[in-house]
Amino acid sequence: MRVVVSGGSGFLGSHLCEALVRRGDSVHCLDDFSSGRAANIAHLLHEPSFRCTPCDVTEPSRLPGRVDAVVHLASPASPSDYHRHPLPTLAAGSRGTENMLKLAAHHSARFVLASTSAVYGDATGHPQDEEHWGHVNPIGPRSVHDETKRFAETLTTAYRRDERVDTGIVRIFNTYGPRMRPYDGRVVPSFVRQALTGEPLTVFGDGSQTRSFCYVDDLIAGLPAMIDSPAPGPFNLGDPSERTVRELAELVLLLTGSTSEMRFLPLPGDDPVRRCPVVSRAREALGWQPRVPLEEGLRRTIAWFAAQSPHPVREPEPSARS
Ligand SMILES: NC(=O)c1ccc[n+]([C@@H]2O[C@H](COP(=O)([O-])OP(=O)(O)OC[C@H]3O[C@@H](n4cnc5c(N)ncnc54)[C@H](O)[C@@H]3O)[C@@H](O)[C@H]2O)c1
């Protein structure tokens, strides 16, 4: 297959490009490198089946030759990125999604949207299955991200119904692993960086809010399965073992052997209280399920962070996190 991956130099995108090249696909990455890193795909550049075009997907894209599938991941994804870049976030989810849908339509290709658990907002039911419609504040601090993903799902569904594009939607829950940026504001890289450098671990609220953390290799295994499937979804992709943020902090301290303390900060606005996916639909339709336990995934992540430069480029400390 020839697969276009928008956002292919980012955290998830680079792992996906690698997995697709490994299984024999030809991969074309489109990325503006706003939060992606050239280093994430440097090892793929010598592969004849991989190429990368720096571009902004909010501008129309035309690619010569055949395209069999388009996977749309391009979007600011971490709270620190979408708080700093609200309008580009809205553009990536709206114009960017439509441009990628048009590209898929032009080539009669399969289109896969990387949506998010954020469409459930501060969910009223627990755990979250795909029947939940969501509880999102349309003008709240997270809205540029959450609402644009909801709009992207609507747009994708309209292209399926009215333009007969073969579309699929996956709703990704918190995923962690190597290649996350140490200052990207998401909770796992923040805690790991802070533990390794002896800084206090910044816990928002009292840390009793829950998240479900999926190791990147597990998550990525679901994406080729969704490319190959004719199913529209949406399918939740995430690890259903729910942990409190405080438990995560304690585990990171244990696994790093760090003596860092925890510093409790005010909870940001609209922070979801509980988040945990039901993944039975993905299991049935895609034969997918997460396998790597949190302790093992954290060990691998910590080892990767520890092997990076001890002086990473510092980005602004986030005021919210997912
Ligand atoms: N990692 C997670 O836990 C998670 C959870 C839910 C959903 N997702 C979704 O998965 C996707 C990838 O997330 P990630 O964690 O890899 O984030 P990331 O920031 O590492 O990757 C996003 C990529 O998109 C690129 N990009 C952003 N705007 C662009 C534009 N206009 N044109 C071209 N490229 C652009 C960035 O440069 C980056 O390479 C996002 O759509 C995100 O919403 C991720």
Side-chain angles (χ1 to χ4, degrees), residues 187-258:
V187 65
V188 172
S190 298
F191 284 175
V192 171
R193 169 181 58 80
Q194 290 164 336
L196 289 175
T197 55
E199 293 168 47
L201 272 59
T202 46
V203 176
F204 292 122
D206 63 2
S208 62
Q209 68 275 33
T210 68
R211 298 292 184 269
S212 303
F213 300 102
C214 187
Y215 187 64
V216 63
D217 290 359
D218 279 339
L219 188 280
I220 291 303
L223 297 180
M226 193 59 175
I227 293 172
D228 296 344
S229 165
F235 297 135
N236 287 340
L237 293 182
D239 193 314
S241 36
E242 187 181 2
R243 308 280 186 133
T244 67
V245 167
R246 193 183 174 119
E247 269 179 90
L248 176 75
E250 284 163 357
L251 196 51
V252 169
L253 291 176
L254 182 75
L255 295 174
T256 52
S258 171

Side-chain angles (χ1 to χ4, degrees), residues 4-257:
V4 172
V5 179
S6 79
S9 79
F11 164 50
L12 295 182
S14 63
H15 284 280
L16 176 63
C17 290
E18 198 174 283
L20 293 173
V21 166
R22 210 182 304 132
R23 78 168 191 169
D25 289 339
S26 164
V27 178
H28 196 138
C29 158
L30 306 178
D31 206 299
D32 69 355
F33 294 89
S34 48
S35 59
R37 293 284 173 267
N40 288 346
I41 52 168
H43 62 297
L44 293 173
L45 291 172
H46 68 275
E47 298 278 353
S49 57
F50 179 79
R51 59 182 296 202
C52 177
T53 304
C55 70
D56 180 347
V57 298
T58 66
E59 303 293 334
S61 297
R62 274 288 153 94
L63 293 179
R66 188 186 102 225
V67 173
D68 300 301
V70 177
V71 187
H72 181 42
L73 291 146
S75 169
S78 81
S80 58
D81 289 332
Y82 61 71
H83 285 141
R84 269 183 294 153
H85 306 293
L87 296 180
T89 303
L90 288 163
S94 53
R95 283 200 299 280
T97 301
E98 183 148 34
N99 287 333
M100 292 298 99
L101 279 160
K102 284 183 173 160
L103 183 69
H106 179 75
H107 290 275
S108 303
R110 168 85 166 156
F111 174 86
V112 175
L113 174 70
S115 184
T116 165
S117 57
V119 299
Y120 298 120
D122 192 4
T124 46
H126 190 80
Q128 291 84 52
D129 64 26
E130 293 86 347
E131 295 301 315
H132 278 81
W133 289 0
H135 180 227
V136 175
N137 175 357
I139 55 167
R142 308 174 64 100
S143 59
V144 291
H145 175 253
D146 300 4
E147 291 290 18
T148 197
K149 288 289 186 176
R150 289 167 66 86
F151 176 74
E153 287 200 11
T154 309
L155 197 57
T156 300
T157 306
Y159 267 75
R160 182 176 185 88
R161 286 190 188 135
D162 297 339
E163 302 293 325
R164 308 260 168 246
V165 177
D166 172 18
T167 64
I169 298 172
V170 288
R171 293 180 178 156
I172 301 171
F173 283 64
N174 288 53
T175 303
Y176 69 97
R179 298 192 195 142
M180 294 189 94
R181 290 172 295 141
Y183 286 94
D184 98 345
R186 291 184 268 195
V187 65
V188 172
S190 298
F191 284 175
V192 171
R193 169 181 58 80
Q194 290 164 336
L196 289 175
T197 55
E199 293 168 47
L201 272 59
T202 46
V203 176
F204 292 122
D206 63 2
S208 62
Q209 68 275 33
T210 68
R211 298 292 184 269
S212 303
F213 300 102
C214 187
Y215 187 64
V216 63
D217 290 359
D218 279 339
L219 188 280
I220 291 303
L223 297 180
M226 193 59 175
I227 293 172
D228 296 344
S229 165
F235 297 135
N236 287 340
L237 293 182
D239 193 314
S241 36
E242 187 181 2
R243 308 280 186 133
T244 67
V245 167
R246 193 183 174 119
E247 269 179 90
L248 176 75
E250 284 163 357
L251 196 51
V252 169
L253 291 176
L254 182 75
L255 295 174
T256 52

